[in-house]
Each structure stands twice: as C-alpha cells, then as structure tokens.
Amino acid sequence: MSPTGNAAVLIVGSGGREHALCAALARSPKVARVVFAGGENAGMAAIAERMEPDAVLARASEFDLVVVGPEAPLVDGLADELRALGVPVFGPGKAGAALEASKAFTKAIAAEANIPTAAARVADTRDDAHAALAAMGAPVVVKADGLAAGKGVVMATTMAEAEAAVDACFEGAFGAAGARVVIEEMMTGPEVSLFALSDGTTVRPFTTARDFKRAYDGDLGPNTGGMGAVSPAPGVPDAVIDEAMARIVKPTVDALAARGIPYVGILYAGLMLTSEGPKLIEFNVRFGDPECQAMLPRLTSDFYALLLATATGTLADAPIEFSRESAVAVVVAAAGYPGPLEKGEVIGGLDAVAAGGAEVYHAGTRDADGKVLSNGGRVLAAVALGADPEAARARVYGALETLDWPGGRMRTDIAAA
Ligand code: AMP
Ligand code: GLY
C-alpha cells in the first residue's frame, strides 16, 4: 500500500453520485490521484483523470482502492473480479448485490432473519400472480422482480389496477425484470433512506437522506431517478435509526454472512416509518443518486480512510463524523426529462453558482473547448449546507438563480416543509 499522501483511487462510474464520491475522495489528504472509469463528465474531468470502463481489470493493480458507484457492475460481479486480483474494493460481490438485483431474494432474506417488511408473495406465472392478488386484496403494490430502474412498481388502489399491472408485467412491459412479480401489502408512513457501511462483519450507520423521486413540484408526474435530496432526513429520531440498524440492517448482513456472503460496501435501506416502527421497502447496494450529493458535503471525517477501512475489514475503528448542518441537493435536468430531451446545450453561470455557496456535481455534461454542454437527462445537482433544511434550501435555490441554462428544469420544492 502507498504511504500516507500517496494513495491512488479508482472510481467506477461517471454520474452525479460518482462526481460527489470523486470530490470527497480528492479532499482526503491521503489521496494523491483519483481516476474514474466511465463516460464523459466535465465536472469529474476537472478533478480526476478519465479511463475507459473496459480497462478497469487490466489497470486495477495501479490503485490502492477501487470504489464501484453504480449497481450494474456490482450485479455483474465486478467487485468479485477485482478482489480476485487482490485489490481492495468498496462494493459488494455479485451474491451480495442480489439484494438490489432481486426483490425476491431480499424477501427471502427478510423472512429468514425476521426483518419487518411488507407481507409479500412472489409469483412466476400470471395465474399464480392473480391467485396471490385475490388472496391479498387491494390496496396492494405490484413489483417487477428485477432491475427496472425504479419504473417497475405500481401502487394499485383497486383490484382492477392491480390485475392490469400484473398483466403488464407478464406481457413484457419491464422485459426480463417482469418475468416474476412480487405482490406486497401497501405500507404507509414517511420514507427515509438509511445508509450503512459494512465490512462484512462490522455494520455501522453512515447517515440518512430523503429523496424526491417525482418529476414535478408537489410530488406530481412520473417517477425519476430523483430530482433532489435532503440529508439528514428531517424528523427522524436517533432511536428510529438505532431500531432500523438493529432489526433490519444488521440482521441482513448477518444473514448474508451465514450464507457465506460477506457484504462489503454501502447498504442503502429504503425504509417506511409505519405506526408499527420502521419497515424495509427495499435495499440498494450503492449510494443513492442524488442522496450521495447531499450526504458527502456533510462528512467531516476522512472519506478515503473510511472506505478503505470498510474494504479491508477494519470499519470498527474508523471515524464517521458529520457536520451538524443540513444539506439540500437540487437536480437540474434537461427540460424534457424523464421523456425525450435535448442534449448539447451550453450551460453557463456555473462559477457564479459556486460563488453563491453551492457545490455543483455534474451528472450528464461534457466539455467542448472549455464550454460545459448538457449531455443527459439529469444534468447536474447543486448542493448547499445550512443550519437547518430551510436554510440549506434557501441557499441552494439562491445560488441556482445565477445558473444560465434556459433549457434546464428543476423542482422548486425540494426539502420544502
Ligand atoms: P422500490 O422500487 O421498491 O423502491 O419502490 C419504489 C417506491 O414505491 C418506494 O420508494 C415507495 O415509495 C413505494 N413502495 C414500494 N413498496 C411499497 C409498499 N410495500 N408499500 C408502500 N409503498 C411502497
Ligand atoms: N435516488 C434513488 C436511488 O438512488 O435509488
């Protein structure tokens, strides 16, 4: 391993989450060099070197730590391949990543470990699914089993809607992800995203966030990858986090370990705070995007040291400290997002946004002769800190007033009380 101050880190991925990871790692005095593997990103390119994703395995031995950002390479087993090469990796192997790749696997672990979650049935045929619906009744939640980019979930308030959702799944609306459906009891309550670090044995809370998934103000419109986030999630007592760690997160890591699956990385638990206590909605095996952009600016301890400790089995001793401030992240998307959209528009005023007190994380941008061009759906996120969510919110929206991109669109109510 390199001596202090010399570390080289590779980040796999090139979206807004990875820009935030990159900036937090580059802040560490231990880190001398950050490289990312992915597509173009003008913000990341300003602070890190880019390489092609297909070069990751060949060049892995150059790095003291590899951090895998998105779920797809984790589900494909990239972390296993890197570990086989002897490189410290932050991110679970393929077997652990099944917590995100398969809702049915998560339900099986939840049943085995007695984890509070919605009652559910899994069906592999249309007939079984209709029988399960008949037994459970409406309201009910119908989910395509595999990775469907957040679009495979239907909240059905009537039996007719539920039956239509089941039929859509088996008619291929979600491709292979819909060949199996999970039918769940509908839970109610505020949602919170709890992020926990696990080195395979030790599991510790990182922090919380709440994201805003709907496209438009007032939580209207289609679901997106997330139009903004606030961290920590307002109004969540520490006791609730302790309960969720003890009853949901720790038992999950223990159940995986008992199956011979060491879970190494971040575990993102989507929770619903019901009248019966916190219940699991779903797990993701990566940082949230844009939750990551809201969480990391609050971190005051060394992010590199923390991720390396997680990757090498010494998480128990690593400091995890956050500022007491709140952070609000607001995503600016191309006007048409999540539908058809324009790319290649010039984005101006980014320096003024930063001067106004917000950090800017790029998601879908590219550099063209020193100009930043839009190059995706969610294009960037601005993040500001404040004494409370309202102060952070005022600051980030104030800073965004100087953004010069007529083709951009943002929600105006992220983190509004
Ligand atoms: P998922 O893809 O499982 O995260 O579901 C997407 C969203 O659907 C969640 O963030 C919740 O808002 C909602 N949801 C999923 N499952 C349930 C459930 N069993 N009860 C109530 N809401 C749910
Ligand atoms: N913002 C939701 C997610 O990352 O899954």
Side-chain angles (χ1 to χ4, degrees):
M1 194 179 301
S2 303
T4 301
N6 246 344
V9 186
L10 174 63
I11 296 166
V12 177
S14 56
R17 162 183 52 216
E18 286 76 26
H19 188 186
L21 292 170
C22 185
L25 287 163
R27 273 198 293 276
S28 166
K30 297 180 169 37
V31 172
R33 180 163 169 251
V34 183
V35 178
F36 70 102
E40 287 186 86
N41 180 314
M44 292 179 83
I47 56 171
E49 187 188 313
R50 183 171 86 90
M51 69 183 231
E52 291 300 328
D54 59 12
V56 167
L57 292 175
R59 289 184 51 187
S61 63
E62 289 174 34
F63 300 98
D64 299 282
L65 175 68
V66 180
V67 180
V68 184
E71 64 277 20
L74 294 167
V75 170
D76 288 346
L78 179 63
D80 301 304
E81 291 181 89
L82 288 163
R83 281 194 190 98
L85 297 172
V87 182
V89 185
F90 183 88
K94 188 182 177 75
L99 284 180
E100 176 160 359
S102 168
K103 294 182 194 297
F105 177 74
T106 298
K107 284 292 174 193
I109 293 281
E112 190 178 305
N114 202 16
I115 288 166
T117 185
R121 296 184 182 217
V122 178
D124 288 304
T125 67
R126 192 191 288 230
D127 285 350
D128 284 354
H130 281 284
L133 274 186
M136 291 178 73
V140 77
V141 183
V142 178
K143 301 182 176 187
D145 180 50
L147 292 178
K151 293 176 192 122
V153 176
V154 174
M155 312 283 280
T157 48
T158 66
M159 282 301 275
E161 279 173 84
E163 284 162 3
V166 160
D167 291 342
C169 279
F170 286 103
E171 279 154 22
F174 307 109
R180 163 182 277 184
V181 301
V182 179
I183 297 168
E184 283 186 9
E185 160 206 353
M186 195 182 284
M187 302 182 290
T188 53
E191 283 184 49
V192 54
S193 302
L194 170 61
F195 292 82
L197 291 163
S198 167
D199 65 7
T201 310
T202 299
V203 189
R204 295 174 62 192
F206 184 62
T207 188
T208 62
R210 178 167 294 137
D211 77 336
F212 296 80
K213 287 197 176 70
R214 297 298 191 111
Y216 310 121
D217 283 6
D219 282 331
L220 298 174
N223 265 331
T224 70
M227 294 299 292
V230 56
S231 175
V236 181
D238 286 348
V240 171
I241 296 170
D242 293 345
E243 184 181 352
M245 288 298 299
R247 296 198 57 201
I248 298 174
V249 177
K250 183 76 167 80
T252 298
V253 172
D254 290 346
L256 290 174
R259 291 183 179 209
I261 305 171
Y263 189 93
V264 175
I266 191 98
L267 185 55
Y268 162 171
L271 305 176
M272 195 162 274
L273 308 184
T274 73
S275 55
E276 296 160 12
K279 290 193 181 183
L280 177 69
I281 300 170
E282 62 159 359
F283 282 125
N284 294 308
V285 298
R286 50 173 174 82
F287 285 99
D289 185 342
E291 293 93 322
C292 188
Q293 293 89 312
M295 295 190 295
L296 293 187
R298 295 180 42 240
L299 183 73
T300 53
S301 46
D302 188 310
F303 193 47
Y304 171 75
L306 183 56
L307 297 194
L308 185 67
T310 305
T312 55
T314 58
L315 174 61
D317 307 323
I320 309 179
E321 280 147 27
F322 286 90
S323 139
R324 300 175 73 92
E325 291 181 303
S326 293
V328 172
V330 175
V331 168
V332 189
Y337 177 77
L341 50 90
E342 300 294 325
K343 292 185 183 177
E345 297 174 344
V346 177
I347 301 173
L350 290 169
D351 290 342
V353 175
E359 280 178 68
V360 175
Y361 295 117
H362 295 226
T365 68
R366 66 188 175 87
D367 178 284
D369 298 327
K371 287 201 172 92
V372 174
L373 302 185
S374 66
N375 195 35
R378 290 191 296 174
V379 166
L380 57 87
V383 185
L385 297 171
D388 53 31
E390 192 47 45
R393 177 184 142 68
R395 196 155 186 215
V396 70
Y397 279 113
L400 276 167
E401 280 175 18
T402 56
L403 184 73
D404 182 10
W405 177 27
R409 179 181 75 75
M410 67 185 99
R411 276 182 59 164
T412 65
D413 64 347
I414 301 301

